[in-house]
Structure formats: C-alpha cells, structure tokens
Amino acid sequence: MEKGFVENGFIIDLSNAKNTTQLVFELSSIMEHPDVKGKNVCLKLGSLDLKQSQLLSIKALIESMDAKIAIMDTHSEQTQASAESLGITISEISGEIAPSIVCRPEENLEEEPVIVKEEGKTVEIHADIPLPQSPVETKEGIEDIYEEETAQELSEVIPSEHFGGDFESLATSEGLLKPEETSKYILLDTGDVLPEGVEENSVNTETLPTLYLNQTLRSGQTVNYEGNIFIIGDAHPGSEIVAAGDITVWGILGGIAHAGSLGNITAKVRALKLNAIQLRIAGLYARRNDTLNVPYVQKTNEFTPEEALIEEGKIVIYKKLRRD
Amino acid sequence: MTGRVIVITSGKGGVGKTTTSANIGTALAKDGYKVVLIDTDLGLRNLDLLLGLENRIVYTIVDVIEERCKLKQALVKDKKNPNLSLLAAAQTRDKSAVTAEQLKEICDTLKEENDFVLVDCPAGIEQGFQNAVAGASEAIVVTTPEMSAIRDADRIIGLLESKEEIKSYKLLLNRVRPSLIKSNEMMSVDDVVEILSCPLIGIIPEDTGIITSTNKGEPIVNDENALAGKAYRNVAQRILGEEVPFLDLDEPKGFMAKIKNAFAKLKAKV
C-alpha cells in the first residue's frame, strides 16, 4: 500500500470503545482540547457498527470544533458503508508514532513526520501528540513563503501580510491564499474619516512628545494624546487609544488603536501581541478578520511583536522574528 | 413606509434582553424584512458582540447625535443578512450622552426606511430606560421564572402602562427549564402569566447553545436544530401577526434523542 501523510493532523484512537455512548464520550473529551482547532482528524473506530446518522453526528461534532475528518479507519462493514455515503475517505491508519497515513498519495510521498515551520525554528510533530497552536498559517502557500524567508537573516524584519484594496491581485502574485483566509486585518470602506481641516501629513513622530502610561487599559477607557502614546500593560477590548503620533503597547493590544489621528500617515502601531479589534492609521481603518476568532483577552506567554504602518495606501504588518 | 418600533426591556439585568434583540432581529431579517437594531446601553454595549460586528463599528449613536457623521454612515450591516443593520452604542460614554428626544428622533427617521426598529434597552429604570422607550410604540418585556426578575418586570409593565406612546406590550419568558417546573422547583409559565397578567409572546427554553452562540457572535436562530433558536423564530412569527402554537418543551426521550442531547451539551462546552 502506498503511504502518504495528513498535513496538520493527528490520530484519535477510539477502537476500544464498546458502544456509541462510550465513543462519543471519549471523542468529546479529546475534542475539548483547544489544540484540536483547525486540525485534520484521523479517526480509528475499530469494529463498532455505526449508522449513517450516527456517523453524521460524529462528523458534525468534529466540525463544530473547527476540525475536520481527514480519513477514517474501521473494521465494520456498516460503518464503512456509512462513511462512503458521507464522502469520508476510508483508509488504514497505522499506530506508529510517525504518521504513515495514506491521504493524498499523489503528493507528499516521503516518509517523514509532519513538520510545521514556525518562524525560523522547525518543530517536528508526531501524530499522537496534539499540535501546538502555530501562529503561522500552515497552509501550503504560506508555509513555502516562511520557509524561504526564515532561511534568510533572522533578525531582519519581514512583512508578514499585506492588506489593501488590491489585495486579491497582490495575494495571487505572492502565492498567498485568499484574503479572507490569510489576512489578519481587512480594510474598511469608511470614506473620508479625517475630521474637517485635518490634512494628510508625514511629520516625523520622533519629534513629538510621548505619554507614558503604566496601567491596564480597560473596556470603555480612552486615551487621547497629541503625541506618541506608550502603554506598559494590556489594552483590553472596548478600550480606545487615539494618538497623533505612534502607539506602542508593551503588552496585548485588544481594543481600538488609532495612530496618526491628525492625519500623520507615517504613524505606526506596535504591540507585543497585536490583536486590536480595529487598527486605524491616519484616514485608513482596518477591522480584524472575523475568522481569527480571538478570545476576549488572549493571555499568553508567546509574544510576537508586530508593527503596523501604511505602505502604498495599505496597512502593512511587520512581524519581528525571534532567534531561538 | 412606516415601520414598527419595538423596545425590548426587562428592568432586571441578565435576563436576556440583548440575546432576545439579536435573535428576533435576525429572525425578522431572515424573513425578508428590513430591520435596524439600536443598542441604547451606552457604556456597556454588548449587542455588537452577539452579532459578531464589533470589529466593524466606526461610528456610534453618540457620533450621530453629536453630528460627527450621518445616520446612514453609522449603521453597520450584518455579515450575512443585508436586511439587518446595527446602530451601536458608544462604549466610552455613559447614558447621559443621549436624551429621550434625540433617541425618539433617530427612531422616527429609521422607521421611515425600515419595517422594524428594535431598541435594546439597558437594565434599570433610569435615564437609559426612559431614552430607550421614548421612540417606541410597542414593548416586549423579557423575564425569567424567578421572583426577582418577575418583580422587576412587574415594575416595568407599570411604567410602560403609564406611557401613552406604548400601544401594546407583551411578555417573553426566557430560560424556562421544563424539568424544574415538573419537580415544582420553578414557577410554571401559567403562574408567571397569571402573576403579571400580561399577554405572552414567547417561551424560550434554557439552552446551553446560547452561551456558544454568544461567544461566537452568531445568533442562535441561525442554528436550525437548536430549540431556543426555533422558539425565537416563533416569536418573530408572532410579531408578524401569525398564530404559532407554543413549543412543547418536554425533553425528548429515546436512545437517539439522548445522544443528540449529549451532543448538544458537548457543543456547549466549547
């Protein structure tokens, strides 16, 4: 039999389940794990007979966790028939640590464990361990780009994503996926949002005064300053930071950030974790992509400092790479 | 076109005003009616979160009133349904930023171009409530089968009766748990209706799916299988004047039903 791989996947072994209830219970306790999200699930079902409706429920359960069934292994003929009617691929899953799973035999034939590239370091992941949440899209196109760029100097700042009106053409030219799937921020069509009498300018923000704040900015709180704002702490969703110059958050930025509010198009927004619900620079407004689905405040120890600025009429985000 | 302006209120907080607004609004828009939802809970807005529209808000109701933008600019279109739009509350201001007259004016303008204007009222009976009620001609009073919520609903109904503009008010009983009613641990629907002597427009069962749908920013009426979603769709039908029987809330029995229940509970855990 040809051997293949399931990318970004892992095996759930349920072959010991004696009845459907037990199966559902075991599956659900595994699916509760946050790392399951977005993964390709390889189900081992053993010899349990499942009707089409029961299998459909299992499929729905997995899909409700934003994961999907890549392949299924079963010894039961009834389950096999049910799977076929639902369009689920049946294949034998071997229980080895390295996934020798037949998935797409036409591509990816080497016998190697699933490898996820994560910003300069290579993580080898075995199929029976849930994958860590990777901040980098592991979809093929993106992965290639990162592979190339991480091979370059690591300390260099590289643009991670480009957004803007002509994103579509840009995306195809760079081999990226559709904007909805990859871009972290999407430009809003707000028309002219700059207040009257304010014109676009490019004053050097380094010449402006800076306001330092050492506190957590909570929902409903606003900071407005005609200069740069530097916050040591988190800015929670529902908070608003409006600065004529740059905004720097030494923490998680979850609220709205408006840099260059007086029309300064050279203003930047920086944060240790850039999760802003909306990013505004001068007259450009961008909303966070709906598909990101970030929890209320993402407390984390993993920080990837990012910097947002305007380039050629688009908001571009630069990601600072770590050297591990 | 003159649309209907309906205020959704309760007196007590946490009984489901915002959830009800989001779901009825979505259900009516799904039926092809033009609907605007107004969040009047200034400083504690939530309706945008329930609809998953938080990231699209540029202007709020305060910007409209203080003339920083036009009313049309401040309306945020729903992601899925172009018939539904939201006029968000300002998060960084409080209830005193708006007066009852200003809100009435906004409602009057909006009802000219929409079939329904649903006003999500803040908890309490102070300025926020007075503002929300100002432009409405109908009211839905949301309550749960608990003494504290019922007493507050009673107070609200009293206040609504004293307002000339409110032509009709209906009761929506939320978070009903049939198993508790059976064991006499919860007031029955009939008890509540009798205490409040107010016509009933809907009974919504307690559904853990509400928590998931709130966190996802996706109203539960979009879930065809959820019982609470069905109950909300029925409420929308009753608002439209159709006679829909109340749902039979007894929990389904049998093996497959139990599995389905288990799934519903699992989904809710996420």
Side-chain angles (χ1 to χ4, degrees):
Chain A
M1 190 193 273
E2 277 184 312
K3 288 187 173 181
F5 301 92
V6 170
E7 214 175 300
N8 197 12
F10 68 99
I11 301 172
I12 299 179
D13 193 341
L14 298 165
S15 48
N16 293 327
K18 290 183 184 67
N19 52 42
T20 333
T21 321
Q22 204 181 345
L23 185 140
V24 167
F25 180 77
E26 276 192 33
L27 179 64
S28 66
S29 58
I30 296 168
M31 295 303 290
E32 261 177 31
H33 201 279
D35 287 346
V36 171
K37 226 173 179 185
K39 299 293 183 296
N40 291 314
V41 174
C42 308
L43 272 186
K44 268 182 106 166
L45 288 175
S47 52
L48 196 67
D49 289 334
L50 286 174
K51 289 195 203 101
Q52 193 191 333
S53 57
Q54 289 167 323
L55 197 61
L56 189 68
S57 308
I58 289 170
K59 196 174 163 223
L61 172 69
I62 289 171
E63 278 165 7
S64 74
M65 309 288 165
D66 286 337
K68 63 173 193 269
I69 303 182
I71 50 170
M72 226 177 70
D73 188 358
T74 177
H75 305 308
S76 147
E77 278 176 24
Q78 191 186 352
T79 313
Q80 204 164 337
S82 307
E84 269 159 19
S85 67
L86 291 172
I88 300 169
T89 320
I90 295 282
S91 176
E92 204 182 319
I93 301 169
S94 74
E96 295 159 36
I97 289 178
S100 48
I101 302 153
V102 179
C103 157
R104 280 170 291 172
E106 68 273 10
E107 51 187 84
N108 217 349
L109 280 169
E110 309 114 275
E111 289 192 26
E112 267 176 37
V114 180
I115 289 169
V116 175
K117 293 262 176 357
E118 190 184 334
E119 283 171 57
K121 63 173 182 179
T122 305
V123 198
E124 209 169 280
I125 287 146
H126 296 299
D128 58 345
I129 309 163
L131 292 168
Q133 284 294 65
S134 159
V136 181
E137 289 277 346
T138 44
K139 300 215 172 70
E140 289 146 61
I142 295 281
E143 201 178 7
D144 291 342
I145 288 167
Y146 273 89
E147 215 167 347
E148 237 173 64
E149 299 199 304
T150 46
Q152 297 166 8
E153 277 235 20
L154 281 182
S155 58
E156 219 178 74
V157 180
I158 54 145
S160 60
E161 282 142 17
H162 296 258
F163 320 111
D166 58 340
F167 187 95
E168 205 113 34
S169 61
L170 208 124
T172 40
S173 71
E174 295 206 1
L176 291 168
L177 297 168
K178 279 184 291 180
E180 275 298 324
E181 281 170 32
T182 58
S183 60
K184 194 167 166 183
Y185 285 90
I186 294 164
L187 230 49
L188 283 168
D189 179 24
T190 46
D192 192 14
V193 283
L194 284 178
E196 258 176 70
V198 170
E199 275 179 31
E200 274 190 14
N201 59 71
S202 43
V203 179
N204 185 358
T205 52
E206 284 174 27
T207 63
L208 298 170
T210 303
L211 173 75
Y212 283 88
L213 284 172
N214 192 352
Q215 66 169 98
T216 306
L217 215 58
R218 295 184 184 276
S219 180
Q221 293 179 326
T222 329
V223 190
N224 199 331
Y225 188 63
E226 285 191 20
N228 307 310
I229 296 178
F230 191 101
I231 293 175
I232 301 161
D234 297 342
H236 285 185
S239 67
E240 215 174 305
I241 309 168
V242 183
D246 297 343
I247 293 170
T248 311
V249 178
W250 190 264
I252 305 164
L253 171 56
I256 294 173
H258 192 174
S261 60
L262 299 176
N264 192 341
I265 51 168
T266 61
K268 301 177 181 79
V269 179
R270 313 180 189 94
L272 290 188
K273 196 157 187 76
L274 195 70
N275 277 348
I277 192 88
Q278 254 180 43
L279 269 183
R280 307 170 174 176
I281 300 177
L284 281 185
Y285 285 33
R287 65 172 165 89
R288 190 171 68 199
N289 197 332
D290 295 320
T291 53
L292 278 178
N293 212 354
V294 178
Y296 184 71
V297 178
Q298 198 174 36
K299 294 290 178 194
T300 171
N301 296 323
E302 291 261 318
F303 292 105
T304 328
E306 283 172 293
E307 181 174 69
L309 52 110
I310 296 182
E311 252 177 30
E312 293 164 12
K314 296 183 274 281
I315 292 182
V316 184
I317 294 180
Y318 284 86
K319 198 173 270 185
K320 185 85 180 159
L321 293 173
R322 285 171 296 147
R323 193 200 288 273
D324 282 307
Chain B
M1 174 159 75
T2 311
R4 291 161 64 184
V5 184
I6 306 173
V7 61
I8 290 137
T9 182
S10 72
K12 189 179 178 295
V15 293
K17 288 177 295 297
T18 307
T19 311
T20 302
S21 308
N23 280 293
I24 295 179
T26 310
L28 286 168
K30 271 179 126 180
D31 281 348
Y33 294 91
K34 277 196 82 179
V35 183
V36 178
L37 289 165
I38 306 180
D39 190 349
T40 60
D41 203 348
L42 272 72
L44 290 168
R45 72 173 190 211
N46 277 322
L47 191 50
D48 53 327
L49 276 181
L50 265 67
L51 294 163
L53 297 176
E54 190 195 4
N55 54 359
R56 288 168 170 78
I57 297 169
V58 175
Y59 298 111
T60 64
I61 191 162
V62 176
D63 293 314
V64 177
I65 285 164
E66 294 176 357
E67 292 181 353
R68 276 190 292 272
C69 71
K70 295 193 187 77
L71 182 52
K72 263 217 171 94
Q73 277 179 293
L75 293 177
V76 184
K77 278 236 149 57
D78 186 56
K79 284 180 279 188
K80 287 183 183 160
N81 200 324
N83 285 332
L84 182 68
S85 44
L86 167 76
L87 181 56
Q91 179 69 352
T92 52
R93 304 291 288 271
D94 62 35
K95 314 287 189 266
S96 59
V98 181
T99 67
E101 290 75 39
Q102 288 165 335
L103 234 144
K104 185 173 189 309
E105 210 181 300
I106 287 178
C107 289
D108 288 345
T109 318
L110 285 173
K111 75 179 177 189
E112 277 165 26
E113 285 180 24
N114 293 280
D115 299 300
F116 287 96
V117 178
L118 303 182
V119 186
D120 180 25
C121 179
I125 52 170
E126 296 86 15
Q127 175 93 50
F129 167 77
Q130 302 294 349
N131 289 348
V133 172
S137 56
E138 292 168 63
I140 292 176
V141 180
V142 184
T143 189
T144 57
E146 295 159 59
M147 273 331 290
S148 53
I150 288 170
R151 186 191 291 186
D152 292 359
D154 198 28
R155 178 94 172 89
I156 286 291
I157 292 171
L159 290 172
L160 290 172
E161 278 172 341
S162 68
K163 298 221 175 284
E164 273 178 35
E165 312 86 57
I166 304 287
K167 304 281 183 270
S168 78
Y169 53 88
K170 300 251 168 67
L171 187 71
L172 188 136
L173 196 53
N174 202 2
R175 307 190 67 170
V176 174
R177 293 167 72 171
S179 56
L180 284 188
I181 291 176
K182 257 189 193 157
S183 56
N184 273 332
E185 285 170 88
M186 188 179 255
M187 262 180 277
S188 77
V189 178
D190 293 340
D191 289 346
V192 178
V193 173
E194 202 184 306
I195 294 171
L196 292 173
S197 60
C198 175
L200 198 61
I201 197 161
I203 307 164
I204 315 293
E206 172 97 17
D207 191 336
T208 41
I210 295 273
I211 300 170
T212 334
S213 82
T214 305
N215 290 345
K216 272 190 191 161
E218 172 105 16
I220 203 160
V221 284
N222 288 334
D223 183 353
E224 294 294 325
N225 303 318
L227 199 58
K230 198 175 174 205
Y232 275 124
R233 284 194 293 277
N234 287 351
V235 174
Q237 293 302 309
R238 290 185 202 110
I239 289 175
L240 293 168
E242 283 174 42
E243 284 204 14
V244 188
F246 291 107
L247 284 181
D248 178 18
L249 295 181
D250 285 333
E251 276 174 37
K253 297 271 149 25
F255 176 65
M256 273 317 281
K258 273 182 190 161
I259 286 195
K260 270 183 194 161
N261 269 353
F263 271 118
K265 277 169 196 161
L266 293 173
K267 274 184 191 170
K269 273 190 187 170
V270 187

